[in-house]
Amino acid sequence: IYCQLVKLRTEEAKLNGYDNYYDYIFQENYGRDYTPKDCLYFYQEVKTHLAPLEELFNTQLQLQWPDVLPKPSEEDILPLLQEQLTILSPHFAPAMTYLQVHQLYDIEQRKNKRSGGYTLWFNEINQPFLYSGNDSDFLNLLTVIHEFGHFNAYYQLAQTVNFSQTDLICDLAEIHSQGLEILMLPYYEALFGADNFQWAQLYTLDGLLYSITSGCLIAEFEQRIYENPTMTSTQMEQLMADLEKQYHLLNSGFSKNWTETTHLFETPGYYISYATSAFSAWEIWTESQKDMQQAVKIYEKLLTQSIDNYLDVLKTIGLKSPFAVNSVKNLARQLEDYFSEKYLVEINESAA
């Protein structure tokens, strides 16, 4: 089926004057202000500098699910999160209050509920709606933090943006969610408890690093296919296996289960946004290590710019482009220093 889709999409791109479908959707579907050629440079930088770091991170930390899952329960999630968000910044209070008063959420854990999370804008009610379908208190809370980043963005922009006719720029929209996860890290002890908050912080940081490496892996996979649309399914499987090695993600399962990545079928070209936005979220994290109040201001300013071009917005709010020379390399150095000082040394000492 995927091979047939590639063929049909390539024909569509040719009819519209493009060499390949990836170039076509970058411009016509997403209107991005960076190119697939920019992405090739980004992929290589991630493979060189960040992928080995994530492998080291996982090897040394060996994150294991805690015996006692972090709380709170689903009944406590929204009130507790509102309390901590308000401490972070009063900016978040109106959206969280609105969410609860109008019951624009479904975070109940129940049997046969679809897993995962999302936030959608419903034109019928002219409102956003937050959904979390995770079956553990820990993942449910993390998902609500992530999705509230999206909900808050919709809430803040709804007065000036007609979401029935336009939507948020995908590269920026994911910073709303990933960036909020980063800003909430200092409040994890209050959210998850003294016994679990450090583990939860590591889990979040590891997930954000994985968002870059896995995001680039899937994006490069489909880009190379659309640039070579006569690939057979066997050649696609070999390409994925090769990319898993290059991104140090041999345990990701992508080589066996890549057809389960629905974006490849339903929203081609989207996956790179998980990587670019995660890079920008890490930029917010870098700022938060120096000045948390400034990091919050950058995040809040982002929300006023989120229907403009990705790279233009980054420049306006003071964040680096992931495609700039040495941007990825410099981030990798900062992360390596941080993890070595805060976590890896402690783990090595405890192991000794």
Side-chain angles (χ1 to χ4, degrees):
I1 293 175
Y2 188 65
C3 290
Q4 293 174 353
L5 280 173
V6 170
K7 180 181 178 181
L8 291 172
R9 287 168 175 168
T10 299
E11 292 175 359
E12 179 184 358
K14 297 286 187 183
L15 289 172
N16 285 277
Y18 287 84
D19 291 335
N20 64 70
Y21 187 74
Y22 212 69
D23 289 347
Y24 171 60
I25 53 173
F26 253 59
Q27 185 59 46
E28 301 298 332
N29 288 31
Y30 299 107
R32 290 186 168 118
D33 56 347
Y34 59 91
T35 68
K37 184 177 180 180
D38 293 326
C39 293
L40 292 176
Y41 173 76
F42 184 46
Y43 302 151
Q44 189 57 50
E45 288 291 284
V46 169
K47 284 186 277 191
T48 301
H49 302 294
L50 284 181
L53 178 60
E54 200 214 355
E55 182 181 39
L56 176 66
F57 183 73
N58 281 305
T59 300
Q60 293 206 34
L61 292 179
Q62 296 181 339
L63 289 176
Q64 300 292 327
W65 203 265
D67 294 332
V68 180
L69 289 173
K71 299 297 180 183
S73 66
E74 63 189 62
E75 293 83 5
D76 301 325
I77 284 178
L78 293 180
L80 182 57
L81 186 55
Q82 180 170 19
E83 177 184 347
Q84 298 305 312
L85 281 167
T86 303
I87 296 173
L88 174 63
S89 171
H91 160 93
F92 298 103
M96 178 56 79
T97 299
Y98 193 84
L99 171 78
Q100 295 176 84
V101 169
H102 296 279
Q103 297 183 338
L104 295 168
Y105 61 88
D106 178 2
I107 63 172
E108 179 185 4
Q109 298 172 21
R110 57 182 182 270
K111 188 177 180 180
N112 298 324
K113 187 178 181 182
R114 179 177 178 177
S115 63
Y118 55 80
T119 300
L120 298 175
W121 180 271
F122 284 97
N123 292 329
E124 293 79 5
I125 60 173
N126 204 36
Q127 304 278 13
F129 188 87
L130 186 155
Y131 176 92
S132 173
N134 290 293
D135 59 1
S136 76
D137 294 330
F138 169 66
L139 288 178
N140 207 23
L141 176 52
L142 277 186
T143 300
V144 172
I145 294 172
H146 179 99
E147 295 302 331
F148 181 72
H150 292 306
F151 185 95
N152 180 58
Y154 277 123
Y155 176 85
Q156 299 293 339
L157 292 165
Q159 300 300 315
T160 57
V161 177
N162 184 352
F163 286 116
S164 65
Q165 297 180 359
T166 189
D167 204 351
L168 302 171
I169 300 297
C170 53
D171 297 85
L172 297 172
E174 295 300 334
I175 311 176
H176 301 153
S177 52
Q178 295 166 326
L180 185 59
E181 292 179 51
I182 287 294
L183 293 177
M184 289 302 295
L185 287 173
Y187 304 91
Y188 269 31
E189 185 170 4
L191 293 171
F192 294 103
D195 294 334
N196 293 303
F197 82 94
Q198 288 183 316
W199 184 91
Q201 288 174 332
L202 288 172
Y203 184 92
T204 298
L205 292 172
D206 179 53
L208 195 60
L209 193 53
Y210 179 76
S211 290
I212 298 181
T213 54
S214 64
C216 284
L217 185 153
I218 294 295
E220 183 173 359
F221 175 69
E222 63 176 344
Q223 180 172 345
R224 294 199 181 278
I225 288 173
Y226 284 117
E227 290 176 348
N228 301 276
T230 59
M231 273 192 194
T232 65
S233 59
T234 300
Q235 290 172 324
M236 292 179 186
E237 291 171 359
Q238 184 59 54
L239 172 63
M240 177 57 77
D242 292 341
L243 290 174
E244 276 189 320
K245 293 178 183 178
Q246 293 170 27
Y247 283 100
H248 297 250
L249 291 174
L250 292 175
N251 297 319
S252 68
F254 282 128
S255 60
K256 295 181 179 179
N257 304 312
W258 65 267
T259 54
E260 297 179 12
T261 305
T262 58
H263 299 69
L264 295 173
F265 296 86
E266 298 174 1
T267 53
Y270 187 95
Y271 226 85
I272 184 61
S273 294
Y274 292 120
T276 55
S277 61
F279 176 89
S280 297
W282 276 116
E283 285 280 293
I284 294 175
W285 172 84
T286 299
E287 187 62 41
S288 74
Q289 299 303 296
K290 299 180 291 185
D291 186 340
M292 175 58 82
Q293 289 186 338
Q294 179 61 24
V296 172
K297 288 179 180 178
I298 290 173
Y299 180 85
E300 293 176 353
K301 189 174 182 180
L302 166 70
L303 293 171
T304 68
Q305 312 278 324
S306 293
I307 59 172
D308 297 322
N309 290 328
Y310 172 63
L311 296 182
D312 287 342
V313 170
L314 295 188
K315 185 176 181 180
T316 298
I317 65 178
L319 298 182
K320 298 182 181 66
S321 164
F323 310 110
V325 175
N326 291 331
S327 284
V328 173
K329 182 179 180 179
N330 291 337
L331 174 62
R333 286 177 174 172
Q334 292 171 336
L335 295 181
E336 187 172 6
D337 290 344
Y338 175 80
F339 288 137
S340 296
E341 179 181 352
K342 297 287 288 186
Y343 298 109
L344 301 182
V345 171
E346 294 177 9
I347 288 176
N348 287 336
E349 289 177 350
S350 64

